[in-house]
Amino acid sequence: MTRDYADVPPLYSEILPGLWQGGTHDEDTVDRAGKLPIVSHQIEFEAVVTLDAYAKPFGWYVKEYRFCFPDSELNQEHLAEIERIADWAFIEWKAGLNTLIRCQAGLNRSSLITGLVLLRDRMRINDVIKTIRRNRGEFALSNYSYLNYLTTWRRKY
């Protein structure tokens, strides 16, 4: 059986000008034997949010905010940190930095943070969901817990 990869999103997708969402290339993860592969990035990012525990650091001269959590039910204990991440990404993006929000596949954890960034930019929730899915793919924001958090979001932290 062969798989049709037409519905697989690219590694990085531009959601709005300068705001990118994506995953982590398999060759861009820390080898558990201790070897760090060398991977070149085609797009110049200046600020990166990394939400995948096995992703190697992004590289020289790139601001990086790392906080790794599983793609599962949203843990209430992590909400304050997740909101701080979104604040940081929003500030960097609005300052004109080419900003990437990445997790493993670039579909759920990164969509949660990207959604929070767009809400901070005063985008309506229906437009947030449409924008992310139009630019990242129909499977983005498929984690119901994350989608529910975004749809009921009110600034709390």
Side-chain angles (χ1 to χ4, degrees):
M1 181 172 142
T2 61
R3 179 169 175 192
D4 178 18
Y5 289 98
D7 62 342
V8 176
L11 187 58
Y12 308 126
S13 302
E14 194 168 23
I15 304 302
L16 287 179
L19 181 64
W20 294 77
Q21 181 179 326
T24 304
H25 194 282
D26 289 343
E27 295 174 5
D28 202 15
T29 57
V30 175
D31 180 13
R32 293 182 189 192
K35 178 178 145 191
L36 288 174
I38 298 171
V39 176
S40 65
H41 302 281
Q42 299 297 319
I43 302 165
E44 295 288 327
F45 294 111
E46 300 158 294
V48 175
V49 171
T50 298
L51 307 166
D52 177 12
Y54 298 108
K56 76 176 186 93
F58 210 82
W60 294 94
Y61 309 110
V62 177
K63 296 180 188 182
E64 187 169 11
Y65 195 128
R66 296 179 70 92
F67 183 72
C68 307
F69 57 97
D71 181 6
S72 59
E73 186 73 22
L74 193 56
N75 184 328
Q76 298 296 312
E77 295 175 14
H78 298 147
L79 288 180
E81 189 64 32
I82 287 167
E83 291 288 340
R84 280 191 288 277
I85 294 167
D87 284 339
W88 183 84
F90 178 75
I91 289 167
E92 298 300 314
W93 174 52
K94 284 305 195 177
L97 278 75
N98 211 18
T99 303
L100 169 66
I101 301 166
R102 68 177 180 155
C103 57
Q104 184 178 10
L107 297 173
N108 282 307
R109 289 169 286 180
S110 57
S111 289
L112 172 64
I113 302 300
T114 301
L116 289 169
V117 168
L118 297 176
L119 288 171
R120 282 163 170 72
D121 201 37
R122 303 201 187 287
M123 187 180 280
R124 294 175 188 245
I125 186 59
N126 290 339
D127 293 331
V128 166
I129 296 165
K130 286 179 191 173
T131 300
I132 290 172
R133 288 182 176 160
R134 179 181 64 241
N135 293 299
R136 190 65 194 144
E138 65 181 293
F139 297 111
L141 270 178
S142 58
N143 181 313
Y144 179 76
S145 177
Y146 298 171
L147 184 59
N148 184 56
Y149 184 74
L150 291 173
T151 58
T152 60
W153 183 80
R154 299 288 178 268
R155 184 104 189 167
K156 302 170 197 166
Y157 298 94

